[in-house]
């Protein structure tokens, strides 16, 4: 059996080596390392793929979130509502900009921000909601956009984990996750669904004025060379990373399908087991692109299962072991434990199994057999 890995970038690269290498070679031959034609090409390619008016490439996903918030002109003291159960980058940039993070619980069904919790957290100071499309599954954007409209709030989508996922609306239309709110942010960290071979990120928006503002912010606040109109940052996607992404973007749908296929096989093996809640696969709408495949383990020792799998050479991980509201950096006396029943439960139950584009049937069977073996002991 091929060696099991949480993410197998090497096997993926082996299959696309010629295209990727040729694309990188072009950058080297033309030595256009910064803002080369590859970056502009990638911007156009991604705008077309996402069906969005503006893509602004930048250095990483955390910058993308920060720049999106700067672009909206959020001010110190403005309250920004986001999910308690996610990677820290989201809340980190809110705090860095001296905005006030307001962490709220998620819902059990899709582990994404709870609509009820958002409604309860809104105050006169609330300015924005940051839904995270966690583990590759689109949050309920229809409900979130409705609340935002009623309360005149911005919506910033953290789409670092769900590029290519669709959001379905009740009128039957579909849109890509990340382009529904005022602005979206993504990451091209190597292990993400669309990963480059270093750091990378992008911001998306359909708002022409906001796109213009953001293009200046990423470039030291310059709209005209050496005229600094606003305080900006230096955040660029370099041409070599753009070249890798130009080679990989045409494969994104295929890659997401491969992840969904692996997820379908995992879930088929686990379905109905008394100790497992496996993610469902929606055949109709591609709302989940499985950045991670995360099980909930009920009435069994999740940590012992993890040790058992690691002992058999099966990588696995806990995303995320500690709720953000309990992290030292983000403690806030306004939070009460009973605001976060779902996150507090999930951190004890979740376990992520290997998920990538190169999983084969033999590997999947070994993994599912091992999980069942432990639970049925
Ligand atoms: C990866 C990730 C980020 C940050 O992306 P970087 O490119 O590593 O800065 C932000 N939010 C979420 C949910 C992520 O998974």
């Amino acid at each position: 059996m091929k060696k099991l890995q949480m993410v197998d970038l090497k096997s993926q690269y082996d299959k696309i080596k010629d295209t990727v290498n040729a694309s990188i070679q072009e950058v080297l031959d033309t030595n256009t390392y910064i803002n080369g034609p590859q970056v502009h090409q990638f911007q156009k390619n991604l705008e077309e793929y996402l069906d969005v008016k503006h893509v602004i490439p930048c250095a990483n996903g955390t910058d993308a979130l920060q720049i999106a918030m700067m672009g909206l002109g959020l001010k110190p003291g403005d309250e920004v509502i986001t999910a308690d159960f996610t990677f820290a980058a989201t809340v980190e940039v809110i705090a860095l900009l001296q905005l006030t993070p307001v962490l709220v619980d998620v819902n059990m069904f899709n582990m994404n921000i709870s609509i009820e919790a958002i409604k309860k957290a809104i105050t006169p100071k609330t300015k924005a909601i940051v839904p995270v499309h966690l583990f590759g599954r689109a949050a309920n954007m229809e409900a979130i956009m409705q609340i935002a409209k009623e309360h005149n709030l911005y919506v910033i989508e953290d789409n670092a984990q769900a590029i290519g996922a669709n959001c379905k609306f009740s009128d039957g239309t579909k849109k890509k996750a990340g382009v529904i709110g005022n602005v979206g942010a993504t990451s091209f960290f190597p292990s993400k669904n669309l990963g480059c071979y270093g750091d990378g990120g992008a911001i998306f928006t359909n708002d022409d004025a906001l796109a213009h503002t953001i293009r200046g912010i990423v470039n030291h606040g310059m709209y005209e060379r050496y005229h600094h109109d606003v305080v900006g940052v230096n955040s660029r996607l370099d041409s070599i990373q753009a070249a890798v992404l130009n080679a990989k973007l045409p494969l994104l749908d295929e890659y997401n399908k491969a992840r969904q296929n692996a997820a379908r096989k995992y879930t088929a093996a686990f379905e109905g087991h008394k100790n497992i809640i496996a993610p469902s696969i929606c055949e109709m709408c591609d709302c989940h692109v499985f950045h991670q495949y995360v099980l909930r383990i009920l009435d069994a020792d999740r940590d012992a299962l993890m040790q058992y799998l690691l002992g058999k050479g099966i990588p696995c991980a806990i995303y995320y072991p500690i709720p953000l509201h309990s992290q030292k950096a983000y403690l806030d006396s306004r939070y009460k434990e009973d605001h976060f029943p779902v996150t507090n439960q999930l951190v004890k139950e979740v376990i992520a199994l290997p998920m990538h584009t190169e999983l084969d049937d033999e590997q999947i069977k070994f993994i599912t057999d091992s999980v069942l073996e432990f639970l049925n002991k």
Side-chain angles (χ1 to χ4, degrees), residues 124-273:
K125 288 185 179 168
T126 308
K127 288 287 152 47
I129 308 169
V130 187
V132 182
H133 303 296
L134 195 71
F135 302 144
R137 181 180 243 156
N140 183 350
M141 288 306 293
E142 183 157 11
I144 292 167
M145 295 310 289
Q146 185 60 38
I147 301 174
K149 197 168 150 198
E150 280 163 21
H151 297 269
N152 198 20
L153 308 174
Y154 294 122
V155 175
I156 303 152
E157 292 174 74
D158 181 341
N159 198 33
Q161 300 191 359
I163 196 150
N166 281 321
C167 292
K168 205 172 165 193
F169 293 83
S170 46
D171 65 2
T173 54
K174 284 184 194 174
K175 281 185 194 166
K176 291 284 184 211
V179 304
I180 300 156
N182 301 83
V183 56
T186 201
S187 164
F188 305 120
F189 186 81
S191 63
K192 302 280 156 121
N193 290 37
L194 177 61
C196 59
Y197 296 157
D199 274 309
I203 304 146
F204 330 123
T205 184
N206 281 308
D207 179 332
D208 297 337
L210 180 60
H212 174 76
T213 304
I214 288 174
R215 288 206 172 92
I217 291 174
V218 298
N219 188 26
H220 301 289
M222 286 193 284
Y223 297 90
E224 199 185 319
R225 204 170 168 87
Y226 301 125
H227 293 250
H228 302 273
D229 294 357
V230 295
V231 177
V233 294
N234 169 27
S235 189
R236 291 185 283 244
L237 179 72
D238 71 67
S239 304
I240 290 185
Q241 300 311 331
V244 173
L245 291 165
N246 281 329
K248 289 182 76 177
L249 180 58
L251 301 166
L252 177 59
D253 284 343
E254 193 182 301
Y255 284 162
N256 283 341
K257 282 270 172 299
R259 288 170 179 273
Q260 288 165 337
N261 282 335
R264 197 174 288 116
K265 288 172 191 165
Y266 274 143
T267 291
F270 296 138
E271 203 114 66
H273 194 285

